[in-house]
């Protein structure tokens, strides 16, 4: 039923196909490309596209297609994990405030407002710059730690919207009679939240999560573009864009590629989110 | 029937506060939904609770099961003061007291299969392993007249009558002793009302259940109830055995309600009493007797003095200044239409 309604949403279906291509391309694409050595700078710098380098090479002579796909892995990974984290935190806080209400709600919502007011992102980035290169967790590659840290930072500063959404859903759901019915058989708070409220609030949470992925990718790109996110040599769409900026006159296409990737990904995700919203909302007729 | 009540309700009150103001909430009044109830329910009996919409019947049911906290009063179940019990002890008590809700469409979780809904009380209390739970669900579905193969379906796949059967199966799951049936049939088609009533009746005999059976008209509870209580604006106005109440209604409000019930025997023609005016707001109930604004036999005293709820003989309780008959006999109700 839900699937049928989703399939009717043409744009959402096209976007799903597009996103699958982007994700598959990023995840398995690099395996099909000729291996290239990041240290090998013998290639001609800033080559125009050729058969060997379909998208040309950058200022260091690295293959742009390969970097673009690697960057896709990084950007998608960071975007996805940041969104998952943000949605988890938001759902938890929204669930608790919305379910318990009263002073817990007031406290939780004032806290959310506070987080919206303080530039958390900036504070956390300062912290991240401060810890760069230091080993935070042993046995994990520093690059991976850096990625995880960026994901955590983005996630930790973008849960507020979801918290408000989930709170609103819970506030209206908890007045429903089936919640009282669960209470009447002896259901405890944790039971009611996990068995009744979350399943019933799943549709809007899911839609919010989808949109959150898009936002996280934009945020990551923006941060990397400003040089505060993912640092070269690890590629991300954002830092590739930032790099290309210096050569705008000579090789403008270098800026176009990551720009297109970001645009396609985020637009696809947003259309999928719209499609899901329509498909999951039983009140909207197909 | 034994003589110790299973449930005792004393001076039970629920005032829902009304707040004004967005930033600084200030209480500006209260909805006096339930305003001082006293009654007992004997083990094995069905007590019918009747009254117009909004008179506080559901609120009474919820208060007894402690689904909302009372403003004042006492509810004693099987010797235990329910309203004082700590949360964990109250949860234990819920195994013994269940509710069948008024609205079979809203009281089942739309995202939960009906099998899981029926199993919920068992799982919440950790009764039996998964195999035993599944077996019990099948058994219950069969007992309420539904196919056990339905357990994987969702509520929207069922009709109102079927859903109410599911609600009944769920209420029975942990073998309670007492069930509040809150207008279990009023949302159903007339054709299925009788079936569900019969089912409840059979289950009572089979499992020795005690019912508080809520309804908004006297006709529904007449056959199923041993005793009937009539409520008006949060208070009880009359309480008696079904026979006492139907044969000899003493409160003018009960008389009015009864006159609206179609009489199958044409030789027993009742006078038809039409109540004037609307039911007053429970926020500002009328002074004295709450019924005086609509009462066809009201006297001056009614406007100032609230009549006590007294036994007029053999447990037939009435709250009216005419009873015990002091001065005015019940003749020629003014405002009544033959
Ligand atoms: N949570 C609440 N907050 C404020 N007022 C309430 C609340 N619940 C009930 N009321 C009010 O209390 C009064 C009694 O309501 P209740 O639901 O008990 O009536 P009822 O007798 O069950 O009526 P019905 O036959 O329509 O079910 C009504 O005036 C109602 O508006
Ligand atoms: S006390 Fe007065 S107003 Fe109330 S029911 Fe009796 S006669 Fe009517
Ligand atoms: Mg009701």
């Amino acid at each position: 039923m839900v699937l049928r309604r989703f399939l009717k949403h043409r744009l959402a279906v096209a976007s799903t196909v597009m996103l699958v291509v982007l994700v598959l391309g990023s995840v398995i694409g690099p395996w099909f490309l000729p291996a290239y050595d990041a240290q090998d700078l013998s290639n001609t710098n800033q080559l125009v596209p050729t058969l060997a380098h379909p998208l040309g090479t950058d200022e260091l002579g690295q293959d742009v297609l390969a970097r673009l796909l690697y960057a896709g892995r990084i950007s998608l990974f960071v975007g996805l994990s940041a969104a998952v984290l943000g949605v988890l935190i938001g759902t938890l806080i929204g669930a608790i405030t919305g379910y318990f209400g009263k002073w817990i709600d007031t406290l939780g919502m004032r806290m959310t407002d506070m987080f919206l007011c303080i530039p958390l992102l900036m504070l956390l980035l300062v912290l991240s710059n401060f810890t760069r290169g230091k080993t935070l967790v042993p046995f994990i590659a520093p690059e991976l730690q850096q990625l995880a840290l960026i994901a955590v930072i983005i996630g930790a500063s973008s849960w507020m919207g979801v918290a408000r959404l989930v709170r609103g859903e819970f506030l209206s759901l908890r007045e429903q009679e089936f919640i009282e019915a669960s209470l009447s058989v002896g259901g405890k708070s944790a039971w009611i939240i996990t068995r009744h409220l979350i399943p019933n609030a799943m549709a809007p949470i899911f839609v919010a999560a989808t949109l959150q992925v898009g936002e996280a990718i934009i945020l990551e790109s923006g941060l990397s573009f400003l040089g505060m996110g993912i640092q070269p040599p690890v590629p991300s769409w954002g830092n590739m864009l930032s790099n290309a900026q210096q050569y705008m006159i000579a090789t403008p296409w270098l800026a176009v590629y990551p720009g297109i990737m970001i645009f396609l990904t985020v637009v696809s995700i947003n259309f999928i989110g719209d499609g899901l919203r329509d498909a999951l909302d039983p009140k909207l007729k197909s | 029937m034994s003589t110790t009540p299973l449930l005792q309700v004393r001076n039970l009150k629920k005032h829902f506060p009304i707040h004004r103001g967005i930033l600084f909430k200030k209480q500006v009044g209260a909805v006096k939904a339930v305003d001082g109830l006293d009654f007992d329910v004997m083990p094995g009996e069905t007590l019918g609770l009747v009254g117009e919409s909004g008179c506080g019947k559901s609120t009474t049911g919820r208060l007894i099961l402690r689904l909302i906290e009372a403003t004042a009063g006492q509810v004693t179940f099987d010797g235990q003061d329910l309203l004082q019990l700590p949360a964990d002890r109250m949860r234990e008590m819920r195994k013994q007291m269940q509710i069948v809700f008024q609205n079979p469409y809203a009281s089942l979780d739309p995202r939960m299969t009906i099998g899981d809904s029926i199993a919920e009380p068992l799982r919440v209390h950790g009764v039996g392993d998964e195999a035993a739970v599944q077996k019990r669900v099948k058994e219950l579905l069969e007992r309420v007249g539904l196919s056990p193969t339905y357990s994987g379906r969702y509520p929207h796949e069922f009709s109102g009558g079927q859903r109410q059967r599911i609600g009944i199966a769920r209420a029975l799951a942990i073998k309670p002793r007492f069930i509040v049936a809150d207008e279990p049939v009023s949302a159903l088609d007339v054709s299925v009302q009788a079936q569900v009533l019969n089912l409840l009746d059979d289950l009572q005999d089979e499992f020795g259940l005690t019912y508080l059976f809520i309804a908004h008209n006297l006709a529904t509870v007449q056959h199923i109830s041993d005793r009937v209580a009539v409520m008006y604006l949060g208070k009880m106005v009359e309480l008696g055995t079904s026979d006492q109440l139907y044969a000899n209604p003493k409160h003018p409000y009960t008389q009015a309600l009864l006159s609206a019930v179609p009489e199958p025997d044409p030789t027993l023609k009742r006078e038809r009493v039409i109540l004037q005016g609307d039911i007053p707001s429970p926020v500002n109930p009328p002074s004295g007797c709450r019924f005086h604004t609509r009462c066809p036999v009201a006297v001056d005293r009614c406007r100032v003095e609230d009549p006590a709820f007294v036994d007029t003989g053999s447990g037939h309780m009435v709250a009216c200044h005419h009873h015990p008959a002091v001065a005015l006999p019940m003749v020629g109700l003014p405002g009544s239409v033959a």
Side-chain angles (χ1 to χ4, degrees), chain B residues 182-238:
Chain B
D182 187 0
E183 304 200 33
V185 298
S186 64
L188 307 180
D189 284 348
V190 181
S191 54
V192 292
Q193 284 189 357
Q195 297 170 12
V196 173
L197 284 177
N198 286 338
L199 173 67
L200 285 167
D201 216 6
D202 294 345
L203 292 170
Q204 178 167 41
D205 296 341
E206 199 173 324
F207 302 113
L209 297 167
T210 305
Y211 287 149
L212 177 67
F213 194 101
I214 299 172
H216 61 251
N217 70 56
L218 278 163
T220 315
V221 292
Q222 183 164 9
H223 298 291
I224 198 164
S225 306
D226 299 298
R227 291 189 304 147
V228 176
V230 180
M231 268 181 92
Y232 185 79
L233 268 186
K235 287 199 137 187
M236 232 170 235
V237 296
E238 185 161 3

Side-chain angles (χ1 to χ4, degrees), chain A residues 61 70 122 141 145 168 174-175 213 254:
Chain A
Y70 273 112
M122 300 308 140
Q145 287 189 23
R174 73 169 189 181
E175 300 300 324
V213 174
L254 285 185

Side-chain angles (χ1 to χ4, degrees), chain B residues 1 86 127 234:
Chain B
M1 244 183 262
V127 180

Side-chain angles (χ1 to χ4, degrees), chain A residues 173-186:
Chain A
L173 280 173
R174 73 169 189 181
E175 300 300 324
Q176 306 255 333
E177 212 164 69
F178 64 82
I179 299 302
E180 192 172 39
S182 184
L183 210 63
S184 77
V185 299

Side-chain angles (χ1 to χ4, degrees), chain B residues 251-253 289-293 295-299 301-303 305 307 319-322:
Chain B
H251 195 280
Y253 181 59
C289 173
R290 289 169 184 220
F291 189 53
H292 84 246
T293 53
C295 181
V297 292
V299 292
R301 187 179 168 198
C302 302
R303 273 173 270 280
E305 194 185 328
C320 175
H321 290 310
H322 292 302

